[in-house]
Structures are given as C-alpha cells and as structure tokens.
Amino acid sequence: AGCQTVFRHQPPGITMLLVRLLPPPCTCTYLPFAHRCAQRWLSNKGRDRRSRGKSKKISQSSVKWLARQSKDQYVKRARDEGSPSRAVYKLEQIDKSALRGRLFKKGDSVVELGAAPGGWSLYASEQIGPKGRLVAVDLLPLDARAMTELETAESGADFYFAQGDFNSLQVKEYIADALRIEDEDTGGDSDNQVEALIRYRADIILSDMAGNFTGDQRTDALKTMSLCENALMFAAGSTCFTTSDANNKDMKVLLQISSNTPWQTIGLLRAGGSFLCKFFQCGKENERELIDAARRLFTDTKVIKPPASRKESAERYLLATGFRGTPSLVPVGT
C-alpha cells in the first residue's frame, strides 16, 4: 500500500528512479504499472532525442515543386504585389486577349465560381468598379487580406460571398438573389416581373472550379469537366445541352418567358454576356459536348492557354462571348 501511494503521485522521472530503487522481488501490486510507466517514458524520451537530430524527409515531388516555385516569375510577381495567388495573371491575360475588346466593363455584374483564394475576385472587382456587382462562391474561405479588400475598397464592386457547394440549390439561390435588385417599378405587374427576370442577370460568369484531386489525371480532368458543364447550365439554362432538334429546319427559336418561369430554365447569364471556365484536357470525345454547346449558344468561342499557365499543365480555358439568349424550341406554327 505504501508503494502504491508513492508511485501514484510521482512524475515519470521520479517513478523511474523508484523502480530502480525498488526492483523485484518487491511484491507491491502497483510495481508492474510503475515499470511500464517508466519504460514508456524512457522509450519516448529516446525517440524524441533521435527525432530532434533528424529533419523530416521531403518527397521528390515536393522538392520539384519548391524548385519550380522559386523560379516562377508569376509566383515572384504575386508575392511582390501582394496577390493571393499567381492565377490572377491568367485572368488578366485572358481579359486582354478577349474577342471584340476586353472581357470586363465598368458596371458589369459578375459571378465567380471557385473564387478562393480571391485573386480573380480582386481583379474582377477592380475592372467593373463601384457600379458593378460581384458575387463569389467557393467551398473554402477567401484569403483574409483579399476578403478585407473586397469588402472595404471604395474603388471595388458591390461584393457578395457565399462559402458553400456551388452544386447545392441553396448556394445557387443565393447567387440569384444577390443579382436581383429590388425595383419599385416592377410592383405586382407580371409583365414587369418578366422584365426583371430578364434584366437582373449576370454579364459574365466565371468558373475556376476544380474537384479535389485524386492523383489520377484522367479522373481529375473528368470531374472538372463535369463542373464546367454544371456551370454552363447555370449560365445558359437547364436545356443548354439539348441537341436533338437544334439543327432541325422545321423548328424555330422562340424565347418564351412568363412571370412563373424559374431562373433555372433560362439561366442567369444575360443575352450578350460572356462565359469563362477552366478545364483540363481529357480527350476530344470528352470535351466535345461542352465546346459544341458553347458554340451553339455564343457567337464567339475559343480555347485559351494563357502564358501564365505552366507549360506542363493540361489546363485550358474556354472563353465564350456574345450569349445568344436562352431559347425554347417550339415547332413552327404553334
């Protein structure tokens, strides 16, 4: 009993000493526990000493990534300019290479999907100015400095951010609500409500989304392609991939919208608007549906690899401008 009291109230170092002073054949029932405690303490202490002298082994891929980062001119430029990432220079280059003038204009309404860490949002906000509106979405939070600047900059756009899954209806409804401006003229008149439904939409929808990488390039590319297709349906309406009657000469295109038409049917992109999405090359057979749909829906489309995109990367950007509007195919004579 005396030994139990002594061992129970001593730190491991003292316990170790007592174990040495009271080796078997001490018959104390608490002694086995004391031996185990002391042995564990000695084992951990030795392991700590061994680990202190060794640095954690860095994988070969990490070494290559660090070497590439140290030589990357855009990484250095982003660091010097305080940008959250080098991705902002890709958007800047795409903007300057856009067909028929710059992509962004003052006063535009912009939706950005996959906004973290915030570089694209900062660039877009600066381009559209204080009369513009920017709605950003991502599963991850934005960089703290970028978030502060977006919310407080006097020269920036009216900014809204939702942290959540773009594929969820709740997040999509948030975007639609953020774009919708209350107008006293709409009142309860159904014609005015239809006008508001058409009017309060985005001028530009950007998608820089990518799924969590699995390490398998083909799987990762297909997941990102699926996100692009979802983004295009969000922009151009739920029927944008319908092709069965698109080339039928006995059909005509009519835009039929009523006050009860859900925004999901017509999409949130304004007629004349632009769409930009990032995808990874995954074979023409897997890219064809997205690109063909964009060509039907927009007057100009092109696939871009901006200079800031690394040469070894399979990433590409689909830029589509001059949205024709969301049609409903109706048989001639109806």
Side-chain angles (χ1 to χ4, degrees):
C3 290
Q4 289 182 10
T5 302
V6 170
F7 282 125
R8 186 178 292 117
H9 295 92
Q10 302 304 326
I14 300 300
T15 302
M16 177 195 68
L17 177 62
L18 291 172
V19 169
R20 288 177 178 174
L21 291 175
L22 295 171
C26 176
T27 59
C28 174
T29 58
Y30 198 72
L31 193 55
F33 168 78
H35 273 293
R36 291 197 301 273
C37 181
Q39 289 169 358
R40 186 163 58 249
W41 183 81
L42 283 171
S43 176
N44 290 339
K45 187 174 181 182
R47 185 161 57 248
D48 290 344
R49 285 175 177 170
R50 290 192 297 272
S51 63
R52 265 188 224 126
K54 295 182 180 179
S55 59
K56 187 177 180 180
K57 188 176 180 181
I58 302 175
S59 67
Q60 196 64 30
S61 60
S62 297
V63 172
K64 291 180 180 179
W65 183 86
L66 289 169
R68 185 180 63 190
Q69 290 290 96
S70 65
K71 297 177 182 178
D72 193 309
Q73 60 171 315
Y74 294 107
V75 171
K76 184 179 184 302
R77 182 179 167 189
R79 190 185 307 118
D80 294 342
E81 296 179 359
S83 177
S85 73
R86 66 192 299 284
V88 62
Y89 305 113
K90 301 176 190 177
L91 183 60
E92 180 183 32
Q93 290 162 357
I94 292 170
D95 182 24
K96 292 179 178 179
S97 67
L99 299 167
R100 302 182 183 181
R102 300 289 286 264
L103 183 61
F104 298 97
K105 298 178 179 62
K106 296 297 182 182
D108 277 351
S109 292
V110 178
V111 173
E112 184 189 355
L113 311 174
W120 277 28
S121 292
L122 287 170
Y123 180 83
S125 179
E126 181 182 350
Q127 298 306 307
I128 63 179
K131 293 185 178 180
R133 175 166 293 202
L134 173 61
V135 186
V137 172
D138 202 292
L139 278 169
L140 301 174
L142 298 188
D143 175 80
R145 186 188 302 176
M147 190 71 172
T148 300
E149 186 173 343
L150 286 164
E151 291 179 332
T152 60
E154 293 183 0
S155 60
D158 187 17
F159 179 68
Y160 298 83
F161 175 69
Q163 185 176 344
D165 185 357
F166 159 71
N167 290 314
S168 72
L169 180 60
Q170 183 179 7
V171 170
K172 291 179 179 178
E173 290 289 357
Y174 172 86
I175 298 171
D177 289 341
L179 289 173
R180 196 173 297 123
I181 302 172
E182 294 296 333
D183 192 329
E184 294 179 359
D185 294 336
T186 59
D189 189 328
S190 62
D191 290 337
N192 287 336
Q193 290 177 20
V194 169
E195 182 183 348
L197 183 64
I198 298 172
R199 179 180 177 186
Y200 299 126
R201 293 194 281 172
D203 297 288
I204 305 169
I205 293 181
L206 311 171
S207 173
D208 197 30
M209 294 186 292
N212 292 328
F213 292 148
T214 64
D216 182 87
Q217 291 185 350
R218 179 175 174 79
T219 299
D220 295 336
L222 291 173
K223 285 170 65 177
T224 302
M225 179 60 65
S226 178
L227 290 171
C228 287
E229 291 170 352
N230 288 343
L232 184 58
M233 284 192 288
F234 176 75
S238 55
T239 62
C240 69
F241 286 101
T242 302
T243 60
S244 58
D245 296 314
N247 298 316
N248 191 333
K249 294 181 179 180
D250 295 329
M251 305 291 286
K252 68 178 179 180
V253 175
L254 296 176
L255 186 60
Q256 294 190 333
I257 299 177
S258 71
S259 59
N260 296 321
T261 303
W263 65 261
Q264 290 92 340
T265 301
I266 63 174
L268 285 180
L269 186 62
R270 191 192 312 278
S274 301
F275 175 78
L276 173 69
C277 71
K278 175 178 72 177
F279 68 93
F280 296 95
Q281 289 181 308
C282 51
K284 291 184 178 180
E285 68 281 2
N286 296 312
E287 300 166 13
R288 185 179 297 114
E289 190 172 9
L290 175 70
I291 294 174
D292 286 352
R295 286 171 177 165
R296 288 194 307 271
L297 296 165
F298 295 83
T299 57
D300 297 295
T301 60
K302 65 176 179 176
V303 175
I304 304 172
K305 183 174 176 65
S309 178
R310 292 190 174 98
K311 291 181 179 179
E312 66 273 17
S313 173
E315 73 176 0
R316 298 291 187 273
Y317 291 87
L318 172 64
L319 175 61
T321 57
F323 182 46
R324 293 189 171 100
T326 307
S328 297
L329 291 171
V330 181
V332 172
T334 61

